[in-house]
Amino acid sequence: GTKFDRRDGKLILGKEGAHSMARIVHAGGDATGSVVASALAEALTAGGRVELHENEFVLDLLMDAGRCVGALSLGAEGELTISLARAVVLACGGAGQVYSHTTNPLVATGDGHAMAYRAGAVLRDMEFMQFHPTAFYCQENPTLLLTEALRGEGAYLLDDAGERFMVGSHPMAELAPRDVVVRHMQRVFERDKTDHVWLDARHLDGGYLRQRFPTVHTGLQKRGFDLCTQLIPVAPASHYYLGGALTDTWGRTTVPGLYACGETSSVGIHGANRLASNSLLEGLVFGERTVRELNRYLSVADPAVRKVKLDLSDELREGNDAAVVAESRKRLAGVMTELCGIVRCRDGIQKARDELGALRASLAAPGLSVAELELFNLLSVAEHIVATALLREESRGVHLRSDYPEMNDAQWRRHSLVRRDPATGAPVLETTALVT
Ligand SMILES: Cc1cc2nc3c(=O)[nH]c(=O)nc-3n(C[C@H](O)[C@H](O)[C@H](O)COP(=O)(O)OP(=O)(O)OC[C@H]3O[C@@H](n4cnc5c(N)ncnc54)[C@H](O)[C@@H]3O)c2cc1C
């Protein structure tokens, strides 16, 4: 039902990073995500076959004899609901909030990743967080994304001296793959002792920019910048998480009855560096395949369980003070940004591991508040990022190690895997060869 932008009846196609041709549809100028989400929400409610529970936070999966049999959720009034099911699909999005500067919404706290891990599912490629080169440089959370389509329309990236530093650095200049642009930005930061560069669209037609990028244009205006006449400060921000619950191409995780799709999953199609706009395509293709597989599974699966054991401890969980939770979330994102962010090295990663350990040790077990549960999910994801980033002694795609700057195919044409040891509860790290 999404109405994509057309000219003379034909879809208008845009070009983004590392694309060799214009192939990206858009809607409402640069409001594609919002238009797509509204169309999906309308379709979901119009059919009358889907029961929708909004503002309900899923806090964990229910397990019975190694099979996922439902989920436990927390409602807006603090009430707990047990939903028993023959199959559960995790589609909780990404985990950009692990970092301080992110384009991801506040809810992108890796809940699906953390729940899958607790349920015993294998997580894959957790070290691969993609940073988008051109997020608006500011302290806001989340920050405003300055879409790659701007560079697709001809906007430049400039350093403080006004030089287009991507020209001569890569044949595609500003439209090089995201990891390449970020790597070169990082060099400029080190050379010029700065933490941002400039997006320049001043040479493009102002009327066209306002019509094609209304969201960016008004977003910048609200922040005191004019896209058409001013240089815009930009810096990389965590944007897309490649790590996720390992699935096959039918959405099946390694836990019977548990499925995953979208950013929570790792189906493997993006390699080590997702191309612009391939995420929504992934959702479209593998979301539909997951539904087809569910139809098959439900015709052969055991009936839903009628009772499920909850592992509740006798201790009264008082949880942590709200201020401590907020402060801890900031501290976690700060540690990850500083020590295990865009460019990593062994010393930094080890320090991050120690800092996360100290943070975990300083917290009481979480009480029943969304903020606390999100903090513990973020902590779980951050610990996996750190462990796998330390393991992968090479640079590949979005994983950059200053102490191992080259790609090492001989040793590392492999995925990293993490799972929870059911006996000890400790993480088990393994690697597996790439399937090509
Ligand atoms: C600013 C921005 C622009 C982007 N632009 C593009 C683009 O142009 N093209 C492209 O391909 N990709 C783009 N992406 C990436 C793409 O939007 C995401 O990868 C994609 O939306 C992920 O879809 P998803 O269904 O996995 O998760 P989401 O769309 O993130 O949905 C996850 C849902 O799960 C809910 N949820 C999370 N945790 C819980 C919980 N514990 N309990 C209950 N509900 C929960 C969330 O509230 C949310 O509604 C963009 C991302 C951002 C941030």
Side-chain angles (χ1 to χ4, degrees):
T2 306
K3 292 195 173 38
F4 291 105
D5 295 338
R6 290 171 185 266
R7 189 177 299 125
D8 303 328
K10 279 194 174 161
L11 288 170
I12 307 173
L13 300 178
K15 192 173 172 185
E16 298 186 21
H19 293 177
S20 45
M21 58 187 285
R23 64 170 175 85
I24 306 303
V25 293
H26 51 80
D30 59 353
T32 315
S34 152
V35 179
V36 169
S38 301
L40 285 174
E42 207 176 304
L44 200 67
T45 44
R49 294 174 58 200
V50 180
E51 203 180 301
L52 205 56
H53 298 256
E54 290 186 273
N55 300 317
E56 193 153 328
F57 181 86
V58 178
L59 53 100
D60 235 332
L61 298 168
L62 300 174
M63 302 297 292
D64 182 59
R67 172 180 154 217
C68 182
V69 295
L72 181 65
S73 55
L74 183 64
E77 306 298 323
E79 73 283 12
L80 282 173
T81 302
I82 290 175
S83 304
L84 296 177
R86 288 194 293 160
V88 174
V89 183
L90 286 172
C92 301
Q97 289 285 326
V98 164
Y99 292 94
S100 308
H101 197 227
T102 181
T103 62
N104 284 194
L106 292 169
V107 294
T109 48
D111 298 348
H113 298 74
M115 282 190 268
Y117 174 74
R118 289 195 292 269
V122 172
L123 305 181
R124 182 167 67 176
D125 295 340
M126 294 294 278
E127 64 273 41
F128 291 96
M129 173 66 78
Q130 181 174 68
F131 289 81
H132 195 293
T134 52
F136 182 59
Y137 172 74
C138 65
Q139 300 295 321
E140 286 169 47
N141 183 10
T143 183
L144 179 69
L145 175 72
L146 303 181
T147 165
E148 213 157 34
L150 273 161
R151 281 173 281 137
E153 295 290 347
Y156 301 146
L157 281 175
L158 306 181
D159 61 18
D160 279 347
E163 292 295 325
R164 287 180 63 194
F165 57 89
M166 285 309 298
V167 174
S169 302
H170 189 278
M172 298 184 84
E174 280 89 351
L175 273 187
R178 288 179 182 173
D179 62 312
V180 175
V181 178
V182 166
R183 217 181 272 222
H184 284 281
M185 285 169 85
Q186 207 64 34
R187 284 186 196 149
V188 171
F189 295 164
E190 276 161 32
R191 187 195 65 198
D192 295 354
K193 309 270 174 289
T194 182
D195 55 2
H196 61 280
V197 292
W198 306 93
L199 187 79
D200 184 7
R202 295 172 302 174
H203 53 291
L204 302 176
D205 178 66
Y208 176 69
L209 285 179
R210 278 189 286 275
Q211 171 227 322
R212 170 71 178 86
F213 301 105
T215 312
V216 169
H217 185 261
T218 45
L220 285 173
Q221 242 177 358
K222 279 187 203 147
R223 292 161 177 88
F225 283 86
D226 182 354
L227 177 67
C228 309
T229 60
Q230 283 178 293
L231 291 176
I232 311 297
V234 291
S238 60
H239 182 64
Y240 181 85
Y241 198 19
L242 290 137
L246 167 63
T247 64
D248 64 9
T249 58
W250 296 100
R252 286 180 285 219
T253 70
T254 52
V255 169
L258 182 63
Y259 292 74
C261 56
E263 220 172 310
T264 302
S265 69
S266 166
V267 66
I269 54 160
H270 303 301
N273 186 15
R274 177 185 74 109
L275 277 184
S277 273
N278 279 7
S279 167
L280 296 181
L281 266 186
E282 176 193 350
L284 198 64
V285 172
F286 294 97
E288 194 268 345
R289 285 174 69 90
T290 303
V291 171
R292 272 200 276 157
E293 157 58 19
L294 278 172
N295 280 332
R296 184 206 64 80
Y297 177 76
L298 293 179
S299 67
V300 296
D302 292 340
V305 292
R306 297 181 52 196
K307 58 178 186 177
V308 63
K309 251 189 207 155
L310 290 183
D311 185 11
L312 300 175
S313 81
D314 292 339
E315 299 164 41
L316 190 63
R317 282 202 183 177
E318 287 185 2
N320 299 274
D321 185 67
V324 171
V325 171
E327 192 42 50
S328 301
R329 182 160 165 164
K330 259 199 201 142
R331 185 171 147 199
L332 180 149
V335 165
M336 290 302 287
T337 302
E338 191 190 333
L339 300 170
C340 194
I342 300 170
V343 182
R344 301 144 178 197
C345 69
R346 181 184 292 127
D347 287 353
I349 304 171
Q350 282 173 339
K351 203 159 168 227
R353 187 183 57 190
D354 296 346
E355 295 272 347
L356 294 179
L359 178 60
R360 189 179 273 284
S362 73
L363 295 166
L368 276 185
S369 90
V370 171
E372 281 193 88
L373 295 162
E374 284 184 340
L375 170 65
F376 276 79
N377 289 338
L378 282 168
L379 195 48
S380 165
V381 171
E383 286 165 347
H384 298 321
I385 294 177
V386 161
T388 49
L390 195 58
L391 189 67
R392 185 176 289 278
E393 294 182 333
E394 65 154 358
S395 292
R396 179 180 298 270
V398 300
H399 169 72
L400 304 179
R401 289 271 306 244
S402 58
D403 45 353
Y404 295 95
E406 304 300 329
M407 192 151 77
N408 179 351
D409 272 348
Q411 270 182 296
W412 277 107
R413 262 180 80 78
R414 303 181 75 75
H415 293 286
S416 66
L417 305 175
V418 192
R419 67 182 165 81
R420 184 170 179 271
D421 183 330
T424 64
V428 179
L429 253 66
E430 287 160 322
T431 67
T432 179
L434 286 188
V435 182
T436 46

